[in-house]
Amino acid sequence: MSATPETAPVSPGTGGGPLLEVDGLRVGFATEDGRVQAVDGVDFQLEPGEVLAIVGESGSGKSVTAQTLIGLTRSPNSHIEGSVKLNGEELTTLSEAQLQKVRGRQIAMIFQDPMTSMNPVYTVGRQIIEAIRAHDSKVGKRDAHRQAIELLEAVGIPDADRRVDAYPHEFSGGMRQRAMIAMGLALEPSILIADEPTTALDVTIQAQILDLIQDLNRSRGLATILITHDLGVVAEVADRVLVMYGGKVVERGTLTDIFYDPQHPYTWGLLGSLTRLDQPRPHRLPQISGAPPSLLNLPSGCAFRPRCPHEFGKCKEVPGLEARLPEDPNHRDRCWLTAEQKRRLREVEGRIGLEEPRG
Amino acid sequence: MLRFLVRRVLGAIAVLFAISVLVFLIFNVVPATNPAQRIAGKNATPQLIKNVEKEWGFDKSLPEQYWTQMKLIFTGEVKSYNAHINVDERIVEGIPATASLCIGAAIIWLAFGFLFGYLSAVRSGGWLDRGLTVLALIGISMPVFWLASILLYYFTYKIELFPPSGYEPLSDPGKWFSHLILPWISLAVLFAGFYSRVLRSSMLDVMNEDYVRTARAKGLSQRRVMVKHVLRNSLIPVITLFGLDFGVLIGGGAIVTESLFNIEGVGLFTAEALKQQDFPSIMAVTLFGAFFIVLFNILVDIGYAYLDPRIRLGASAA
Ligand SMILES: Nc1ncnc2c1ncn2[C@@H]1O[C@H](COP(=O)(O)OP(=O)(O)O)[C@@H](O)[C@H]1O
Ligand code: SF4
Ligand SMILES: [Mg+2]
């Protein structure tokens, strides 16, 4: 599958081109039960300063995709294909030592569970200082310590000059996630990858962390890849959205495309089960029935087929990720239904949703 | 910290008291042999036995006997039934030999245990890991007496590289060293193998932790991730084992090694005391050993708090 770039390619470093360009990314793991194709052909581009959301149920390959971007899935039993270009420079062929210079400095990453993502035996400040000094050993300890305090202040941690010397267990979950973000910002990267940054947090704290991410995105032009299983989170901050299912991108478009003109039945299902405060509880549609497919044994044809109520004969063939709306070449999906059929079928009880599968 | 120490020291005294009572009861109640008979000899007349009973206080009540016994041990006047030697003096004389043996062996086994365990974990699944695994398993499955005998036979009698046996005081370092090298190896091999396995599995667990992924994601070098994050967080199981093992050995537990190499340490004295069923000696070496086990337990707990700031000594279990 060849990706047609959404913007014309430009030479590296001149600006204007995509910051990050991912092409035909495939990641497989050799396991005892056989090969797991966790990511199966993912393409996308990240423009400077934008927020790209990757959504999908758990197990759809979001985290593996994100970690592969900075080479964290490299191992003797993983197999990685495709291309990841940062400012035009290919990352998949870099050595481990070269990649270390990219990690943290150009692309920072924060993770789902702030409770376990910091080393419990070192102070928060020391872990931030470690990141700074790993990339620039000339920075003195005292300077790095002062920078750590400034970073903690920048992410809204009160009393930063005291908290800098506290241990992670002395922070609340939300504060820890702020500290993780501070650590991510330490080297002023151009990209922040946030893998389910709010999933482990209370609802009120979730909103604060999202606000912070959005704030950093706007004030620093920090391009962000936001990974989540929750379209509600996406609605808050994303510019563009990738919907992933079974290791593949099944739909991609702008935030408006995905929320108001969704093309893939899986997206309809995600939207239908979205917690919406403007709808009374009984009107909320159920979760998509059935479980995500086992990556060891994906169904042939469209991977969503076993759970799709609209499945028909053609679905036995794998649909490509194509622009199926003539007026919008950047809104793409992997579903064989015609645009006309989709418009009709996605209306359930007066709103977008996925009805129960037949039979 | 102070509260922790006070509580632990009180606990330790209670433990030592319980152990002393237990050992006392085992020797005075369970086997109904008459110690006076043993002291007086096989062909003693009833009158002689009576005299011995009076002289050694066996005609007194058990609590009284216990009290006397403990008083003798703690004032350094306790005599063995058999040779009538001063038990405390004999233990103190044995300490330099035992300490030399145990500290030297511990340095060797920690060095190799850490080196092999670390390399195994970093290269897990590779040929180096497999080779080290085989080596460790061989080490673990070699009985100490067997290894010691082989070493003695080969290095001492066959090629005469090392002197036969005994312990030489540290005042002559060369002699001290050459007499200890084989005992050190004999004692260290098993522990080195075992510790490398424990460290390896502990490190492999830690490698799956989220914070290790964070450390890699911020661009740290592989070595730094392994040492500062993985190894650092893998130490607790090793420290726990070390506290127990070293406490036992330094408290007179290196019985086999000291006997085979004829090192006149606490372990050898323990072996003799056990062989001769000499109650005062057994009581004294048991308390001596128990003291070190309890001491190293406290040190291990202090080590935990140092290694993991989430463990606060004031709040930890007694
Ligand atoms: N190191 C690995 N070895 C084998 N399978 C893996 C590995 N990492 C992830 N997977 C599998 O890849 C699939 C996708 O995982 P992930 O990317 O974490 O999903 P998501 O983040 O969308 O919930 C899962 O089924 C997971 O079991
Ligand atoms: S291709 Fe077929 S099975 Fe797949 S989502 Fe579309 S209608 Fe459903
Ligand atoms: Mg995930």
Side-chain angles (χ1 to χ4, degrees):
Chain A
M1 185 178 51
S2 72
T4 7
E6 285 162 17
T7 35
V10 279
S11 52
T14 53
L19 188 54
L20 191 72
E21 191 169 7
V22 177
D23 210 344
L25 190 67
R26 291 168 48 86
V27 186
F29 296 101
T31 69
E32 282 165 16
D33 305 320
R35 189 182 160 100
V36 172
Q37 194 63 49
V39 176
D40 189 10
V42 166
D43 313 88
F44 66 86
Q45 292 167 357
L46 182 71
E47 308 295 335
E50 81 167 333
V51 179
L52 173 71
I54 305 182
V55 240
E57 286 164 299
S58 154
S60 52
K62 307 180 298 291
S63 296
V64 172
T65 300
Q67 289 176 29
T68 303
L69 300 180
I70 52 174
L72 291 180
T73 53
R74 286 183 180 185
S75 92
N77 47 19
S78 70
H79 184 75
I80 299 167
E81 294 163 70
S83 144
V84 177
K85 286 200 181 111
L86 175 69
N87 288 320
E89 185 195 14
E90 181 63 49
L91 298 186
T92 54
T93 52
L94 290 186
S95 70
E96 182 65 21
Q98 289 168 316
L99 262 180
Q100 280 159 17
K101 299 201 179 85
V102 174
R103 295 179 190 144
R105 160 157 283 177
Q106 286 171 287
I107 305 180
M109 187 158 180
I110 64 169
F111 300 95
Q112 172 164 349
D113 193 347
M115 295 301 177
T116 55
S117 294
M118 286 205 159
N119 193 330
V121 310
Y122 298 126
T123 62
V124 170
R126 180 161 171 185
Q127 297 184 59
I128 298 175
I129 292 167
E130 186 182 33
I132 297 170
R133 286 166 50 95
H135 291 278
D136 190 352
S137 51
K138 286 195 293 290
V139 180
K141 280 206 173 129
R142 195 169 300 166
D143 278 346
H145 191 261
R146 189 182 36 71
Q147 281 182 39
I149 295 173
E150 286 166 9
L151 286 161
L152 291 176
E153 275 165 357
V155 297
I157 289 182
D159 236 354
D161 53 346
R162 202 172 47 80
R163 302 298 291 268
V164 70
D165 294 319
Y167 287 95
H169 72 270
E170 297 169 307
F171 277 52
S172 67
M175 283 298 154
R176 252 187 259 195
Q177 196 60 293
R178 283 178 193 268
M180 282 291 291
I181 294 173
M183 194 156 83
L185 296 178
L187 293 136
E188 303 188 349
S190 45
I191 300 174
L192 174 71
I193 304 174
D195 188 353
E196 310 250 10
T198 61
T199 305
L201 305 173
D202 294 345
V203 182
T204 48
I205 311 291
Q206 281 189 14
Q208 292 172 10
I209 296 294
L210 283 180
D211 282 349
L212 174 63
I213 289 175
Q214 192 162 34
D215 214 48
L216 294 168
N217 167 255
R218 293 203 179 129
S219 62
R220 304 187 180 213
L222 180 63
T224 304
I225 298 177
L226 177 69
I227 294 171
T228 175
H229 64 271
D230 181 358
L231 268 180
V233 167
V234 172
E236 303 272 340
V237 288
D239 298 314
R240 285 191 308 127
V241 183
L242 295 186
V243 181
M244 277 188 76
Y245 188 77
K248 288 188 166 73
V249 175
V250 294
E251 180 163 3
R252 78 169 191 221
T254 62
L255 185 68
T256 323
D257 291 341
I258 298 297
F259 275 80
Y260 296 100
D261 192 16
Q263 298 295 301
H264 198 283
Y266 179 62
T267 314
W268 307 345
L270 292 178
L271 283 166
S273 55
L274 183 60
T275 310
R276 276 176 51 169
L277 299 176
D278 60 345
Q279 297 271 333
R281 262 188 183 274
H283 280 269
R284 221 174 283 151
L285 294 176
Q287 302 280 79
I288 308 166
S289 62
S294 154
L295 295 175
L296 282 166
N297 189 16
L298 274 179
S300 64
C302 171
F304 192 52
R305 198 151 61 102
R307 301 167 77 186
C308 182
H310 312 302
E311 183 232 345
F312 63 109
K314 190 141 174 69
C315 306
K316 291 192 185 68
E317 293 166 43
V318 181
L321 182 66
E322 282 161 25
R324 293 166 199 271
L325 296 164
E327 70 277 13
D328 189 355
N330 290 331
H331 186 178
R332 301 177 182 204
D333 71 271
R334 281 184 196 271
C335 174
W336 287 122
L337 296 169
T338 63
E340 181 47 45
Q341 285 171 314
K342 286 168 177 165
R343 246 188 299 276
R344 191 161 38 80
L345 291 171
R346 72 191 179 197
E347 288 280 326
V348 181
E349 294 170 21
R351 49 176 289 219
I352 289 168
L354 188 66
E355 63 193 49
E356 288 292 305
R358 297 157 300 187
Chain B
M1 181 70 188
L2 191 69
R3 245 181 63 204
F4 165 82
L5 273 184
V6 169
R7 201 169 47 189
R8 288 307 301 262
V9 168
L10 290 178
I13 291 171
V15 167
L16 291 179
F17 173 70
I19 289 173
S20 68
V21 171
L22 202 67
V23 175
F24 181 81
L25 288 180
I26 288 173
F27 272 83
N28 283 279
V29 180
V30 181
T33 57
N34 186 345
Q37 171 92 59
R38 242 186 311 158
I39 293 168
K42 273 229 158 54
N43 306 317
T45 60
Q47 185 53 46
L48 180 57
I49 292 176
K50 271 250 149 49
N51 291 346
V52 169
E53 274 182 357
K54 235 196 159 59
E55 186 190 337
W56 289 79
F58 297 133
D59 51 349
K60 303 266 171 55
S61 71
L62 280 183
E64 239 174 310
Q65 285 191 45
Y66 172 81
W67 178 245
T68 318
Q69 187 69 50
M70 296 310 283
K71 211 163 68 187
L72 289 176
I73 288 178
F74 281 99
T75 51
E77 281 160 19
V78 61
K79 293 251 183 338
S80 73
Y81 290 168
N82 298 71
H84 295 208
I85 57 165
N86 184 311
V87 174
D88 289 347
E89 273 172 21
R90 181 63 185 75
I91 290 178
V92 170
E93 278 165 22
I95 289 177
T98 295
S100 300
L101 172 67
C102 296
I103 294 172
I107 290 171
I108 295 175
W109 94 59
L110 286 178
F112 281 92
F114 269 95
L115 183 68
F116 287 6
Y118 178 84
L119 291 176
S120 258
V122 172
R123 297 250 178 278
S124 82
W127 65 265
L128 183 63
D129 178 31
R130 272 173 231 177
L132 290 175
T133 298
V134 171
L135 217 63
L137 292 181
I138 291 174
I140 291 170
S141 44
M142 257 193 302
V144 174
F145 68 87
W146 184 83
L147 175 64
S149 312
I150 299 271
L151 289 176
L152 263 176
Y153 174 74
Y154 190 75
F155 287 104
T156 306
Y157 301 109
K158 253 332 239 281
I159 65 174
E160 297 183 5
L161 186 64
F162 296 112
S165 58
Y167 168 75
E168 291 293 332
L170 192 50
S171 47
D172 182 346
K175 250 181 156 175
W176 175 83
F177 188 83
S178 66
H179 277 79
L180 277 168
I181 187 88
L182 291 185
W184 282 339
I185 294 172
S186 308
L187 192 54
V189 162
L190 171 117
F191 289 115
F194 189 47
Y195 280 42
S196 75
R197 298 308 290 166
V198 170
L199 183 67
R200 176 187 184 272
S201 86
S202 178
M203 283 182 69
L204 290 182
D205 283 347
V206 173
M207 278 183 211
N208 288 322
E209 294 283 351
D210 288 349
Y211 56 77
V212 173
R213 192 180 49 193
T214 305
R216 294 180 64 206
K218 59 188 185 185
L220 303 188
S221 69
Q222 187 69 6
R223 158 104 47 102
R224 193 170 171 98
V225 171
M226 281 297 160
V227 175
K228 293 281 174 175
H229 292 270
V230 178
L231 183 62
R232 176 66 173 72
N233 285 273
S234 308
L235 292 178
I236 282 191
V238 182
I239 297 291
T240 307
L241 273 179
F242 183 73
L244 287 174
D245 289 337
F246 193 73
V248 167
L249 290 181
I250 200 110
I255 294 179
V256 174
T257 313
E258 289 189 10
S259 302
L260 278 168
F261 289 97
N262 197 27
I263 294 171
E264 300 240 318
V266 185
L268 189 59
F269 183 59
T270 305
E272 285 164 4
L274 285 170
K275 207 157 52 192
Q276 297 164 354
Q277 298 267 302
D278 188 75
F279 170 65
S281 308
I282 290 175
M283 190 77 171
V285 292
T286 305
L287 282 176
F288 181 79
F291 168 77
F292 278 100
I293 293 170
V294 169
L295 173 71
F296 276 89
N297 249 302
I298 297 176
L299 292 180
V300 162
D301 279 350
I302 294 173
Y304 286 167
Y306 172 74
L307 287 175
D308 189 341
R310 287 170 302 181
I311 301 170
R312 284 203 316 264
L313 288 181
S316 72

